[in-house]
């Protein structure tokens, strides 16, 4: 049975009523441009075919009822529309609650309560943006239900606002943007400072995008993500004393090398170096993609991993093992950790003929070294959020 049909059927069973609308929003994998989206830089993610669907119906009272088929143990969670408050929710429902709250803030208050049901195929903690998918799917379903005139770009901004202010994770715009604005067969090249974007076709007739889950769950709610942001702010304020700039990613590598002596703390210096060079790599990666120079693209992915591992220090031993194993396989064009880090997934570009051997040899060796069962997904760039019912 298709997942939308399952969602609808389960909705009827659970709430004993017809859903009025359902929307799907995908997860994302970032190809390059990591930890640049809060430094005014570029990112190059693609939406996935995997994601989360949300079915909704109006209620006649003030209640919001949430249920996730992916977390059945949590049961139906109830909130009151009029009592939604930032940082008040410890449950998974903080994400959709936050979206409903952020919609009201943006001038689209809900006139009544809702029953909501969620169903997806990207587990939380994999680093494939299940939280952004949850936010954007909620936004898309609710906006369509009430006929709110909110385009997908604004749905992304509402999702980010929900996550920043309501959930309390200080993330950038990349994940929500990829989820809302992704396009089948394409990566999205986004300037996070201006929100200007362009689609970059991923023409890879002889290669596959392979995602491998380390099975180490990551969490951005931990302090490390927010620590990195603060370290970048410190670096920027020092560089601003010697350069005219408003963002780390607006500084070229040459400019940076000329003035970076102003940063004395070696940790802060490493963080800034990552942001500056990663943005440069991302722009060059787009050029390589445009020229169909897949090997140059892969080389930049490898450099990105090394920078995230050594300078930004957001990788973890398991992701490093996976990535180093990948680099050693002939036919692997490039590989790096993807997403916020501290666990989650590696993404690699692999020659089609080598994919089977690549996955087998890496998962075997990884199991030997870590006792963990890595999971592979052969990914296809999918379509951004859309109404499915
Ligand atoms: C997480 C955040 C994004 C971005 C990445 C790192 O996925 O949600 O905004 O900062 O980490 O590139």
């Amino acid at each position: 049975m298709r997942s939308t049909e399952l969602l609808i059927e389960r909705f009827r069973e659970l709430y004993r009523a017809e859903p009025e609308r359902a929307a799907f929003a995908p997860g994302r994998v970032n190809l390059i441009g990591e930890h640049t989206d809060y430094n005014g830089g570029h990112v190059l993610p693609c939406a996935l075919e995997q994601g989360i669907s949300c079915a909704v119906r109006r209620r006649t009272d003030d209640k919001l009822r949430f249920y996730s088929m992916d977390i059945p143990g949590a049961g139906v969670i109830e909130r009151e529309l009029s009592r939604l408050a930032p940082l008040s929710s410890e449950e998974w429902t903080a994400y959709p609650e936050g979206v409903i709250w952020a919609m009201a803030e943006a001038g689209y208050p809900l006139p009544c309560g809702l029953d909501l049901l969620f169903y997806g195929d990207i587990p939380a903690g994999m680093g494939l943006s299940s939280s952004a998918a949850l936010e954007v799917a909620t936004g898309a379903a609710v906006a369509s239900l009430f006929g709110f005139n909110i385009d997908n770009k604004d749905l992304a901004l509402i999702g980010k606002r929900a996550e920043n202010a309501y959930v309390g994770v200080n993330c950038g715009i990349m994940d929500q943007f990829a989820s809302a604005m992704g396009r089948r067969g394409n990566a999205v090249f986004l300037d996070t400072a201006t929100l200007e974007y362009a689609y970059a076709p991923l023409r890879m007739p002889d290669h596959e995008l392979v995602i491998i889950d380390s099975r180490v769950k990551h969490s951005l709610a931990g302090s490390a993500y927010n620590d990195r942001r603060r370290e970048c702010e410190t670096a920027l304020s020092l560089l601003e004393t010697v350069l005219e700039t408003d963002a780390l990613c607006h500084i070229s590598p040459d400019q940076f090398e000329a003035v970076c002596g102003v940063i004395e703390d070696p940790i802060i210096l490493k963080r800034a170096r990552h942001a500056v060079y990663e943005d440069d790599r991302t722009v060059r990666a787009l050029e390589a993609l445009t020229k169909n120079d897949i090997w140059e693209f892969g080389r930049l992915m490898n450099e990105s991993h090394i920078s995230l591992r050594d300078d930004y220090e957001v990788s973890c031993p398991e992701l490093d093992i996976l990535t180093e194993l990948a680099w050693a396989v002939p036919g692997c064009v490039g590989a790096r950790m993807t997403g916020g880090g501290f666990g989650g997934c590696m993404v690699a570009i692999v020659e089609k003929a080598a994919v089977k051997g690549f996955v087998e040899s890496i998962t075997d060796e990884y199991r030997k070294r870590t006792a963990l069962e890595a999971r592979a997904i052969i990914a296809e760039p999918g379509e951004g959020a859309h109404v499915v019912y």
Side-chain angles (χ1 to χ4, degrees):
M1 195 186 285
R2 283 184 52 238
S3 57
T4 305
E5 283 159 21
L6 250 163
L7 177 81
I8 302 304
E9 192 171 282
R10 188 76 184 90
F11 193 100
R12 291 184 185 126
E13 265 170 39
L14 182 72
Y15 293 120
R16 308 214 162 278
E18 281 297 306
E20 294 181 85
R21 203 72 97 220
F24 168 84
R28 65 93 189 93
V29 62
N30 189 22
L31 301 180
I32 195 161
E34 214 68 84
H35 290 277
T36 48
D37 69 345
Y38 50 85
N39 284 310
H42 298 87
V43 293
L44 190 61
C46 34
L48 295 171
E49 280 181 335
Q50 292 79 359
I52 296 179
S53 299
C54 166
V56 281
R57 83 171 187 108
R58 278 172 276 215
R59 296 179 54 86
T60 48
D61 57 18
D62 185 43
K63 269 188 201 148
L64 296 168
R65 294 200 294 178
F66 301 91
Y67 185 84
S68 167
M69 289 163 68
D70 311 315
I71 322 171
V76 175
I77 295 176
E78 269 192 32
R79 296 280 182 262
E80 279 167 60
L81 181 57
S82 52
R83 300 180 71 168
L84 294 181
L87 307 177
S88 66
S89 180
E90 299 273 299
E91 316 267 1
W92 66 270
T93 55
Y95 298 96
E97 285 174 43
V99 168
I100 292 166
W101 171 85
M103 277 185 157
E105 285 248 303
Y108 301 98
L110 262 54
C112 60
L114 296 172
D115 287 333
L116 302 104
L117 176 66
F118 297 88
Y119 181 40
D121 55 1
I122 28 169
M126 249 175 105
L128 299 180
S129 295
S130 61
S131 44
L134 191 52
E135 290 154 5
V136 175
T138 306
V142 171
S144 168
L145 175 64
F146 292 108
F148 293 156
N149 188 16
I150 306 177
D151 62 18
N152 275 28
K153 202 168 168 179
D154 285 334
L155 283 181
L157 289 167
I158 285 172
K160 176 177 185 286
R161 173 99 179 108
E163 190 145 344
N164 293 162
Y166 197 94
V167 183
V169 175
N170 211 359
C171 66
I173 188 66
M174 168 169 72
D175 304 346
Q176 292 81 4
F177 200 93
S179 179
M181 300 292 289
R183 180 181 282 182
R184 191 175 306 289
N186 286 265
V188 190
F189 181 71
L190 170 69
D191 180 340
T192 62
T194 59
L195 294 192
E196 276 170 33
Y197 65 97
Y199 292 109
L202 267 193
R203 285 186 223 92
M204 302 201 302
D206 306 322
H207 297 84
E208 299 277 14
L209 208 55
V210 183
I211 298 173
I212 299 195
D213 179 7
S214 68
R215 307 301 288 269
V216 178
K217 279 206 164 205
H218 88 143
S219 164
L220 293 188
S223 62
Y225 185 87
N226 288 343
D227 288 348
R228 291 298 175 282
R229 287 198 67 144
R230 265 192 302 276
E231 288 160 355
C232 287
E233 281 160 21
T234 306
L236 179 63
S237 62
L238 290 167
L239 290 164
E240 275 171 341
T241 62
V242 287
L243 261 186
E244 185 112 355
T245 187
D246 58 354
L248 286 184
C249 291
H250 292 168
I251 301 173
S252 73
D254 285 346
Q255 277 177 315
F256 180 72
E257 294 304 335
V259 300
C260 66
V262 74
I263 306 176
E264 277 173 22
D265 181 334
I267 300 283
I268 303 293
L269 180 63
K270 290 206 282 185
R271 307 300 190 245
R273 192 195 302 141
H274 168 76
V276 168
Y277 280 87
E278 180 75 354
D279 193 56
D280 184 61
R281 276 190 286 274
T282 308
V283 173
R284 287 193 286 137
L286 177 73
E287 282 165 21
L289 203 58
T290 314
K291 286 192 235 148
N292 263 332
D293 188 348
I294 200 83
W295 285 94
E296 170 65 3
F297 192 90
R299 206 184 55 71
L300 293 163
M301 287 174 78
N302 299 346
E303 276 186 12
S304 167
H305 183 82
I306 293 167
S307 178
L308 288 160
R309 182 190 67 192
D310 299 343
D311 278 347
Y312 217 62
E313 296 181 282
V314 291
S315 188
C316 64
E318 293 84 356
L319 282 174
D320 291 340
I321 291 173
L322 277 181
T323 308
E324 281 154 31
L325 289 172
W327 289 341
V329 177
C332 172
V333 172
R336 58 183 287 274
M337 57 152 278
T338 182
F342 310 105
C345 291
M346 168 188 85
V347 60
I349 297 179
V350 184
E351 285 175 354
K352 265 195 178 135
V355 167
K356 195 161 170 282
F358 175 85
V359 170
E360 279 171 10
S361 67
I362 289 187
T363 46
D364 282 355
E365 189 58 30
Y366 186 68
R367 187 184 309 114
K368 280 187 207 145
R369 295 215 205 158
T370 63
L372 291 167
E373 209 51 56
R375 234 181 340 202
I377 301 174
I378 312 297
E380 293 289 335
E383 190 67 20
H386 50 277
V387 170
V388 291
Y389 182 81

